[in-house]
């Protein structure tokens, strides 16, 4: 795996339009170092002095910063000259865990790049009405476990719009929204991350018109234990989820370290999830994976709260366009399962279900109608029989031929203001 990751980090293995590599960089001149220090001091002062209504304009240029930036004022806009024109580099960062940390509501950031932060790129904690537009967060040295965990990272937020953004080479998730309510992620691109786009323990999220490619897993919808709220009601639609076959480079013990390379769209322990009108292609483990917390291999030292529901429920997959994939699953168990069920030259079906189900709710072997896993498109489904260590997998797709009520579109403050 290490050799594979090194190979993937070489220039030419990824889109040159997204990551520019060079063999060496000349050290900055004394004048450049002095100018960057003066810029950093001024920007920190602007953030410290910001008040509701403040607009902080960052001109075009590449600025090398040695410490993270923090904003604690509501109602502030940070605006660069353009995603590829205003670049904040934290490659020489010595202070602060994040590139930019925001504790604020009514916050907008747009038109800039944050790169090579020691920790998370852009973290927004506990705010309302957040807009992240035309922002790129990347690690320019390729996909490495030493990269920051999260690229674009709003957590415990409400009314969040992420649009026209780019995230590259995060060691956990490129675009991540956690423990939030009212979220739209659209027209963005995630590449070379462990998880491209991840919606975790979040209520009411729409994820559409995005591209997730060359990640370990393309788009993830997860519920993890011991967090402030369970998630539900996520729609994933009109996305391109292609060739997410990158070897998993997450830190050991993290939840995403369990995601197999070759995962297109992954639903884990979440409920009321709708997957439709996507192009999902050439993901080598499976184009869609539906699983329980029991399959992750992730266990917390504190145990799991008694009210945590580890099972996926009310999952509706329909109207997608699947192509390829399933031909080279990651992990010995899945490889053996593929060979046993489909032969050496065969491939896994488009939808892989681990087989874990809340048996307390079963009536005549089925979940209640509103909690079933329903798969349309005539897509084949493999029940891997995870509870019995893959001893009795089933290719019978008939139990999944059902329909669920469709979820409403997400409406958030920013979208209403634009209409």
């Amino acid at each position: 795996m290490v050799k594979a990751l090194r190979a993937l980090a070489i220039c030419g293995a990824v889109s040159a339009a997204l990551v520019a590599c060079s063999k060496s960089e000349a050290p900055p001149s004394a004048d450049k170092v002095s100018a960057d220090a003066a810029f950093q001091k001024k920007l920190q002062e602007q953030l410290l002095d910001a008040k509701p209504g403040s607009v902080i304009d960052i001109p075009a240029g590449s600025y090398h910063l040695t410490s993270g930036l923090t904003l604690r004022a509501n109602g502030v806009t940070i605006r660069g000259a353009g995603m590829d024109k205003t670049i904040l580099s934290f490659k020489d960062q010595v202070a602060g865990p994040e590139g930019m940390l925001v504790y604020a509501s009514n916050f907008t950031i747009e038109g800039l790049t944050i790169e090579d932060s020691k920790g998370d790129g852009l973290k927004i904690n506990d705010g309302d009405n957040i807009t992240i537009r035309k922002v790129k967060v990347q690690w320019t040295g390729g996909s490495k476990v030493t990269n920051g965990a999260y690229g674009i990272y709003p957590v415990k937020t409400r009314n969040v719009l992420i649009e026209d953004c780019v995230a590259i080479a995060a060691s956990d998730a490129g675009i991540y929204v956690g423990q939030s309510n009212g979220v739209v992620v659209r027209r963005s691109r995630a590449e070379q991350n462990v998880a491209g786009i991840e919606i975790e323990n979040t209520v009411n999220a729409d994820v559409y018109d995005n591209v997730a490619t060359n990640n370990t897993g393309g788009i993830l919808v997860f519920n993890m234990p011991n967090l402030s709220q369970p998630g539900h009601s996520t729609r994933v639609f009109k996305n391109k989820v292609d060739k997410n076959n990158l070897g998993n480079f997450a830190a050991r013990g993290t939840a995403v370290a369990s995601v197999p390379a070759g995962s297109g769209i992954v639903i884990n322990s979440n409920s009321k999830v709708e997957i439709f009108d996507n192009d999902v292609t050439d993901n080598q483990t499976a184009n869609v994976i539906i699983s329980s917390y029991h399959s992750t291999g992730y266990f917390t030292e504190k145990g799991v709260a008694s009210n945590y529901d580890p099972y996926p429920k009310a999952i509706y997959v329909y109207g997608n366009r699947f192509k390829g994939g399933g031909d080279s699953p990651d992990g010995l168990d899945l490889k053996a399962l593929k060979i046993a069920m489909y032969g050496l030259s065969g491939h896994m079906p488009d939808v892989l279900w681990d087989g874990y189900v809340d048996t307390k709710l079963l009536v005549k072997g089925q979940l209640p109608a509103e909690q079933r896993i329903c798969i349309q498109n005539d897509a084949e489904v493999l029940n891997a029989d995870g509870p019995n260590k893959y001893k009795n997998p089933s290719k019978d797709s008939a139990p999944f031929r059902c329909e669920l009520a469709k979820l409403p579109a997400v409406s958030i403050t920013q979208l209403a203001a634009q209409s």
Side-chain angles (χ1 to χ4, degrees), residues 316 369-370 372-376 400-406:
Y316 196 13
E370 70 278 7
R372 292 178 64 183
I373 296 173
C374 294
I375 313 293
Q376 298 293 316
F400 304 95
R401 301 303 186 222
C402 52
E403 296 183 6
L404 295 172
K406 294 180 180 179

Side-chain angles (χ1 to χ4, degrees), residues 59-359:
S62 181
Y63 306 99
H64 291 259
L65 308 178
T66 58
S67 64
L69 303 170
T70 302
L71 172 69
R72 296 181 181 272
N74 294 329
V76 174
T77 295
I78 297 175
R79 181 182 298 138
M83 182 186 291
D84 296 314
K85 295 180 179 180
T86 298
I87 300 171
L88 305 180
S89 173
F90 293 87
K91 191 171 186 178
D92 300 318
Q93 183 176 358
V94 294
E98 291 89 10
M100 184 177 293
L101 175 61
V102 176
Y103 294 95
S105 294
N106 303 309
F107 170 71
T108 296
I109 183 169
E110 59 187 0
L112 54 80
T113 288
I114 295 170
E115 63 184 30
D116 295 327
S117 57
K118 298 302 181 186
D120 307 322
L122 170 63
K123 182 176 182 180
I124 302 166
N125 201 329
D126 197 17
D128 294 340
N129 306 321
I130 308 299
T131 299
I132 306 169
R133 178 182 295 120
K134 296 183 179 178
V135 172
K136 180 192 291 184
V137 178
Q138 65 178 349
W139 284 265
T140 60
S143 303
K144 300 176 181 178
V145 69
T146 52
N147 292 350
Y150 301 100
I152 296 170
Y153 182 24
V155 62
K156 296 183 179 179
T157 49
R158 292 150 296 280
N159 291 330
V160 179
L161 174 62
I162 301 172
E163 64 180 5
D164 303 309
C165 292
V166 176
I168 301 172
S171 65
D172 195 300
I175 299 173
Y176 172 101
V177 184
Q179 303 173 69
S180 296
N181 196 319
V183 174
V184 170
V185 180
R186 65 186 182 189
R187 300 195 305 269
S188 295
R189 183 179 183 90
E191 184 167 351
Q192 298 183 72
N193 311 281
V194 175
I197 300 171
E198 181 173 0
I199 306 298
E200 185 174 277
N201 291 71
T202 286
V203 178
N204 298 324
D206 272 359
V207 180
Y208 64 93
D209 286 339
N210 303 288
V211 175
T213 184
N214 194 29
N215 307 283
T216 299
I219 299 177
L220 278 55
V221 184
F222 273 34
N223 256 346
M224 299 304 295
N226 308 331
L227 297 179
S228 62
Q229 68 178 31
H232 62 79
S233 303
T234 296
R235 303 193 311 161
V236 178
F237 59 101
K238 295 184 179 178
N239 302 285
K240 294 185 183 300
V241 185
D242 178 57
K243 295 184 178 69
N244 292 284
N245 302 315
L246 180 64
N248 194 316
F249 61 100
R252 288 185 180 181
T254 59
V256 294
S258 66
V259 176
S263 299
I265 300 173
V266 185
I267 303 164
N268 185 267
S269 306
N270 213 296
S271 64
K272 298 181 181 178
V273 180
E274 201 170 322
I275 310 295
F276 64 98
D277 199 16
N278 300 282
D279 290 284
V280 192
T281 54
D282 295 328
N283 302 285
Q284 290 178 334
T285 289
N287 285 325
V288 175
I289 297 174
I290 302 171
S291 61
S292 159
Y293 176 79
H294 298 301
S295 287
T296 64
Y298 171 74
F299 300 99
T300 71
E301 294 180 0
K302 298 178 181 179
V304 174
S306 59
N307 62 348
Y308 173 66
D309 185 352
Y311 302 102
K313 295 173 181 173
I315 311 300
Y316 196 13
V317 180
Y318 66 93
N320 300 284
R321 292 164 294 280
F322 297 124
K323 180 181 177 183
D327 53 321
S328 184
D330 186 26
L332 294 177
D333 288 342
L334 290 176
K335 288 182 187 297
L337 179 64
K338 191 271 284 189
I339 292 170
M341 299 297 291
Y342 303 99
L344 284 170
S345 60
H347 59 84
M348 300 278 255
D350 289 311
V351 181
L352 173 64
W353 176 45
D354 68 358
Y356 284 93
V357 65
D358 191 346
T359 56

Side-chain angles (χ1 to χ4, degrees), residues 403-419:
E403 296 183 6
L404 295 172
K406 294 180 180 179
L407 298 171
V410 172
S411 176
I412 61 177
T413 304
Q414 292 93 336
L415 296 181
Q418 293 171 6
S419 61

